[in-house]
Amino acid sequence: MKRQIKLNVALVATLIITMLSSCLKKDLPVYPEFDANEITLVNVEYRFNGSQMMNGQPIVAYQKLTVAQTIDKTSSTINVVITVPSAGGEFTAEERAKVVQSKLWFYMNISTAAKISPVEGTPALGDPTDATKPLKYIVKAANGASKAWTINVTALNK
């Protein structure tokens, strides 16, 4: 029994020493933190219950919508025109008719290592969004610099 305790103590001590030692070498270069806080691309999709089922529930299907955008970096504003594509496959004419500006899903490309957060009542990314009003986000760069962005949907073409 004493031998088992000594073995356990030796094992724990070895693990602690291993964890506290560093494999990194000294004098590694220090790179500057990214300072960009831009939204570079806005994408929009429409989600609906697809025809396939899993565990008795419909699998969510999506249709990517065409987005034409104008980015004004000076005013941190992006104006987008959304066009709903023709029906096809699971995206039937009936489903296409249900696409409205008040129930769309947005996702975007942002600067490397930046974080994006909705503000002023804009829903979180991944939630359905009412794009009949301006969407507002804060993009925070890795170095902490923040920039407020506004996305305006100027038209939804069917």
Side-chain angles (χ1 to χ4, degrees):
M1 182 68 165
K2 287 183 181 181
R3 185 172 189 203
Q4 183 64 36
I5 292 172
K6 286 182 181 181
L7 184 61
N8 287 343
V9 169
L11 180 61
V12 169
T14 303
L15 286 172
I16 290 173
I17 291 169
T18 303
M19 289 172 39
L20 294 177
S21 67
S22 175
C23 296
L24 295 177
K25 297 179 181 179
K26 291 183 180 183
D27 301 324
L28 289 175
V30 176
Y31 295 103
E33 291 182 334
F34 290 100
D35 61 353
N37 48 17
E38 308 289 328
I39 295 176
T40 57
L41 180 67
V42 175
N43 294 291
V44 183
E45 67 186 23
Y46 171 70
R47 296 179 185 174
F48 56 98
N49 289 333
S51 59
Q52 297 180 354
M53 302 288 279
M54 181 180 282
N55 298 325
Q57 298 293 321
I59 296 175
V60 175
Y62 69 93
Q63 177 62 51
K64 186 172 182 179
L65 306 178
T66 305
V67 176
Q69 60 189 8
T70 305
I71 300 175
D72 182 347
K73 290 184 180 183
T74 305
S75 67
S76 304
T77 302
I78 303 172
N79 292 319
V80 299
V81 174
I82 301 170
T83 303
V84 181
S86 301
E90 277 195 292
F91 188 61
T92 63
E94 180 182 304
E95 203 58 58
R96 185 180 187 278
K98 294 178 187 176
V99 177
V100 291
Q101 192 170 328
S102 60
K103 193 175 179 186
L104 300 173
W105 281 258
F106 284 75
Y107 57 102
M108 41 225 51
N109 291 6
I110 61 174
S111 301
T112 301
K115 294 180 182 180
I116 187 167
S117 303
V119 292
E120 297 182 27
T122 298
L125 294 172
D127 288 343
T129 301
D130 180 359
T132 60
K133 51 191 168 194
L135 308 176
K136 299 185 181 254
Y137 298 94
I138 297 290
V139 179
K140 186 175 183 180
N143 72 352
S146 294
K147 191 177 205 180
W149 283 87
T150 301
I151 299 172
N152 299 304
V153 176
T154 58
L156 176 67
N157 302 320
K158 287 192 172 184

